[in-house]
Amino acid sequence: MKSITHPTGLFDNGAKDYKHITAIPLAAAMGAEIQGVDLSNVSDYAFAEIEAALYRHKLIFFREQDISFTDHENITLRFGDFGTDAYTKGVEGHKNIQPVIKEATVETKMVFGSGWHTDSAFLDCPPAIAINYGKDMPPYGGDTLFANSVLAYNSLSPAMKEMIAPLKVWMSAKHVVSSMQAEKQSQQRKSGELGSLELDVDTQKMIEGSYHPLVRTHPVSGEKSLYVDKTYACGIEGMTEEESRPLLDFLAGFVTQESFVCRLKWYNNTVIMWDNRICLHQAFNDYDGYRREMYRAVVMGEKPE
Ligand code: SIN
C-alpha cells in the first residue's frame, strides 16, 4: 500500500492492495474511485473489500455502472436494512429508491442536498450509508463536495476535544423546513412546478429533531468524528442559543475547511457510496438549463453514540 498522508499528518488516504477491487484515491483528505466492479453482480469477496474501502476512504465511487432499481436495492441491502429518508417518496414499485431529479426547465434557488450537511441528522437513527446513482448528469456543474469529519475531529486541540466530549447537539430540520416552505411558495407563484423538492412529510417531528453526541464513534472502525453541520446543528443541550451558536459555527466551519474536502465530478452512470457517520456533503445548484437525474437509497443507521 502506498500511503497518502494528509498535510496535517492525521489521515492516510492511501489505498490498500485489495484482491478483488482496485481503489484509486481522489484526494489526500478522503475519497476513492473503485475499479474492477460491476455493481449489478458483486461477489461476497468483492463486497467485503468495497465495505472496507468505504470505511477507509469515507466516500467511494464507481464509474460506468448500468444498474436497475432492483440492482440498486440489492447492493443497498448488502450493507443492512433500508433506512428512512425524510424528504422524498420512492419511485413507483421501489419505495426505497428515491428520485433526486431537477429538470432542465426548473429554476430554483434550493436543490435537494444543498448546504453542508450530514443526512437526516434530526432522526433518532440517521442513515448510516447513502448510495446514489447518477444516471443523467449535466455536462458541467452539479458536483458534490464531501468533508472528512474524522480528520476534522483529529485536527482539534486536546483542550477542545476535552471540552466537547460530553456535549450533545440538537439536530433539527427547522431551517430546512422553513427554506423549503418559502421556496415552495415562490415556485408555486411562478409556475406550480417544484422538481423533486416536495415536502410531504411530518415536518413537526423533523423540527423537534433529536439530541446526538457532538463527537460520535463509528460502530465498526471505532473512529471518532465531529457530528456537526451547517444545516441541522441548531443547539447544544443545556446551553443557551447565545452560548451554543459561536461554538457550532466554529465547528461546522472547521469541518468543512478546504483541506478536509474532496470534490466529486459526476458523469452519467456513476454510483457513489458515502458513510454518513464520518463525512458531510453538499450538492451544488450551478447547472441551470440542464437535467440532473439521480436515484438514492440509504442504509438504516444506529443511534449515534
Ligand atoms: C444527496 O443525496 O444529499 C444529494 C447529493 C447530490 O445531489 O449530489
Side-chain angles (χ1 to χ4, degrees):
M1 180 187 111
K2 185 176 173 307
S3 285
I4 297 186
T5 310
H6 188 265
T8 55
L10 296 171
F11 183 65
D12 179 0
N13 198 38
K16 291 224 157 119
D17 296 322
Y18 297 106
K19 282 208 178 90
H20 304 274
I21 63 172
T22 303
I24 301 179
L26 176 64
M30 64 181 297
E33 177 172 351
I34 306 298
Q35 295 181 344
V37 174
D38 170 1
L39 285 174
S40 64
N41 181 19
V42 180
S43 70
D44 288 345
Y45 298 114
F47 179 75
E49 293 186 348
I50 289 171
E51 194 173 20
L54 174 61
Y55 298 152
R56 179 173 183 79
H57 300 286
K58 322 312 188 213
L59 157 78
I60 55 176
F61 56 99
F62 308 75
R63 301 293 191 192
E64 294 179 20
Q65 300 293 321
D66 185 9
I67 59 167
S68 64
F69 292 145
T70 305
D71 296 330
H72 196 161
E73 287 164 339
N74 289 341
I75 191 78
T76 307
L77 288 170
R78 300 284 281 269
F79 288 96
D81 291 341
F82 290 119
T84 313
D85 185 275
Y87 291 104
T88 56
K89 285 196 180 131
V91 298
E92 209 181 320
H94 301 268
K95 66 181 167 62
N96 292 293
I97 303 294
Q98 300 118 22
V100 179
I101 300 173
K102 183 169 164 269
E103 297 295 349
T105 49
V106 172
E107 280 179 27
T108 172
K109 287 205 191 76
M110 190 184 180
V111 284
F112 184 86
S114 55
W116 279 110
H117 67 285
T118 168
D119 282 335
S120 301
F122 48 85
L123 296 175
D124 247 12
C125 296
I129 292 163
I131 302 177
N132 284 21
Y133 177 35
K135 200 170 166 53
D136 185 13
M137 304 305 276
Y140 64 81
D143 295 357
T144 312
L145 272 67
F146 293 84
N148 182 340
S149 53
V150 173
L151 172 58
Y153 173 75
N154 288 334
S155 302
L156 292 171
S157 65
M160 178 61 93
K161 282 184 186 154
E162 199 180 324
M163 186 179 89
I164 64 175
L167 300 181
K168 291 206 158 181
V169 57
W170 175 41
M171 295 292 203
S172 159
K174 67 177 184 167
H175 300 305
V176 180
V177 169
S178 46
S179 307
M180 287 176 86
Q181 279 162 344
E183 181 63 18
K184 187 168 182 169
Q185 277 164 8
S186 130
Q187 290 289 331
Q188 276 166 345
R189 267 198 305 274
K190 273 197 244 158
S191 64
E193 203 175 359
L194 199 66
S196 57
L197 260 184
E198 290 295 347
L199 196 55
D200 183 16
V201 287
D202 183 353
T203 51
Q204 196 45 45
K205 246 184 132 10
M206 291 166 67
I207 292 168
E208 273 167 33
S210 302
Y211 285 86
H212 292 308
L214 186 52
V215 178
R216 69 181 291 187
T217 305
H218 193 277
V220 180
S221 68
E223 287 179 307
K224 286 187 173 176
S225 62
L226 265 181
Y227 200 46
V228 65
D229 68 8
K230 294 185 180 173
T231 301
Y232 298 120
C234 289
I236 292 179
E237 192 175 57
M239 285 191 186
T240 62
E241 163 78 18
E242 237 183 334
E243 290 167 340
S244 64
R245 198 66 264 160
L247 181 57
L248 292 175
D249 285 347
F250 164 72
L251 292 172
F254 187 79
V255 183
T256 54
Q257 62 182 272
E258 289 85 344
S259 76
F260 298 164
V261 167
C262 73
R263 182 175 187 123
L264 178 90
K265 161 90 186 126
W266 290 90
Y267 297 101
N268 291 353
N269 299 323
T270 299
V271 173
I272 73 171
M273 303 176 180
W274 70 87
D275 190 324
N276 193 45
R277 300 162 290 197
I278 45 181
C279 67
L280 306 186
H281 61 286
Q282 175 182 33
F284 262 155
N285 185 17
D286 59 351
Y287 50 92
D288 267 2
Y290 288 101
R291 176 181 167 80
R292 188 173 187 268
E293 178 187 357
M294 178 183 285
Y295 297 92
R296 170 187 150 91
V298 292
V299 179
M300 178 57 100
E302 58 290 318
K303 205 171 160 47
E305 283 187 0

